[in-house]
Amino acid sequence: MATAARPAEDAASADPPSAPVRPTGPVAVGLALAVLATVVWSGSFVTSRALGDSVPPVQHAFWRWVVALAVVAPFGARRAWRQRALIRRHLGFVVLASLLGVTVYNTLVNQAGVTTPAANMGMIMAASPVLMALYERAGGVRLGARRVAGLVIACAGVLLLVGGDGASFSAGDLWMIAAACCFGSYSALLRRRPEGLDGVGFLFTTFLLGTVLLLPAQVISLAVQGGFHPTPGTVWPILYVGVASSAVAFFAWNKAISLIGPSRAGVVYYLQPVCVALLSWVLLAEPTGWAQAGCMALILGGVVLGAGARR
């Protein structure tokens, strides 16, 4: 096999140094998965806002992860069982990932959705890529001038979008800032996932542990706030966040991190405020002006620049 591959390697080395570098293979797949997760998660912010008055935040999170666990179990339970020795060996890492990515993050998002508009939630979450990049840089990874430039341009677009929209911060926005920090820490942590730990098995394990860690808060919420009434308006959104925003999006994001790293995936994550704004325009008929469109173009330009090869 090594001999057969050598001509391809020689041909690659013969390319002129000035040839442009394009994301191919694993990088292209990683970028596509990061975009998929970002688009799907954008819908979950709208869902959190929509359920803010009808489903208590903790119960929203708990049933979301119960649904996600049921979806992932047929694919991940057996794999997790086969790797139980490896999971036990790295139990601290797995518990921390479960706490940050499952138990705490989405509960904070749901709590923010009680008082914070979906557009604000998406824009505040755009702060998390900065934290991802800082974590990766602290770990000794050189980000490169192109990626840093893309990060700065996209961040500037988000700041202009927030300022131009006249957004005013509320108490719920503080919950969202905490959620952004939590998600950025979770994404950076994924880079240290133990070698050999199966992706689907890891996902099932974090969903299971995260749901168990959330159970005490669920019991308290039921005792203090009472349960919610299951109607199509509450059940369908929970099914969406359980299946699409949890099982599908988390698998896509975790795989993207393993392929392209948190800083490059974080640049793609800047698409989220754009997606949330478009969803608000389509689903809620919220107006979008030329200033917002210009900021979105700036964000998209930064994403395209920063998601390319490191230079």
Side-chain angles (χ1 to χ4, degrees):
M1 293 297 292
T3 304
R6 189 172 299 280
E9 296 173 359
D10 293 340
S13 63
D15 290 341
S18 60
V21 180
R22 296 181 175 85
T24 57
V27 173
V29 173
L31 292 174
L33 290 173
V35 170
L36 172 63
T38 299
V39 172
V40 172
W41 276 330
S42 299
S44 69
F45 291 139
V46 178
T47 300
S48 294
R49 179 60 176 163
L51 295 180
D53 297 328
S54 56
V55 181
V58 171
Q59 296 179 40
H60 180 183
F62 179 80
W63 289 112
R64 165 186 181 148
W65 294 114
V66 169
V67 172
L69 194 59
V71 172
V72 174
F75 310 97
R78 183 174 298 180
R79 297 186 183 186
W81 177 253
R82 289 173 179 170
Q83 294 193 311
R84 60 189 183 277
L86 181 62
I87 292 172
R88 280 198 303 267
R89 194 178 312 135
H90 300 281
L91 188 59
F93 169 87
V94 177
V95 170
L96 182 58
S98 304
L99 185 66
L100 290 174
V102 176
T103 307
V104 178
Y105 165 61
N106 288 110
T107 305
L108 293 175
V109 171
N110 296 338
Q111 183 64 48
V114 175
T115 56
T116 304
N120 271 31
M121 295 168 70
M123 288 185 284
I124 293 171
M125 273 301 296
S128 58
V130 177
L131 189 59
M132 297 178 206
L134 290 176
Y135 274 130
E136 195 164 15
R137 185 66 186 90
V141 176
R142 188 179 67 85
L143 301 180
R146 174 172 174 169
R147 193 168 305 170
V148 171
L151 193 71
V152 171
I153 291 172
C155 186
V158 171
L159 293 175
L160 288 173
L161 188 61
V162 174
D165 198 36
S168 57
F169 281 84
S170 65
D173 293 323
L174 298 177
W175 291 110
M176 203 62 215
I177 291 172
C181 294
C182 188
F183 181 75
S185 301
Y186 168 78
S187 298
L189 185 67
L190 289 180
R191 194 62 165 171
R192 299 179 178 274
R193 193 176 80 187
E195 186 177 354
L197 185 57
D198 177 78
V200 179
F202 171 74
L203 204 66
F204 170 80
T205 304
T206 55
F207 285 4
L208 177 60
L209 290 176
T211 304
V212 171
L213 291 171
L214 194 57
L215 186 57
Q218 166 74 355
V219 173
I220 294 173
S221 177
L222 288 172
V224 175
Q225 300 172 299
F228 65 93
H229 298 289
T231 65
T234 57
V235 172
W236 283 112
I238 289 177
L239 287 177
Y240 169 80
V241 295
V243 176
S245 294
S246 299
V248 176
F250 266 80
F251 174 80
W253 184 257
N254 292 1
K255 185 65 176 178
I257 292 292
S258 68
L259 291 173
I260 61 177
S263 66
R264 185 178 284 177
V267 174
V268 175
Y269 196 74
Y270 272 120
L271 290 171
Q272 186 145 260
V274 178
C275 295
V276 173
L278 291 176
L279 286 173
S280 300
W281 177 62
V282 172
L283 299 177
L284 306 177
E286 294 183 354
T288 300
W290 286 107
Q292 290 173 313
C295 293
M296 292 178 189
L298 197 62
I299 294 170
L300 289 172
V303 169
V304 171
L305 179 65
R310 184 187 293 118
R311 291 180 181 176

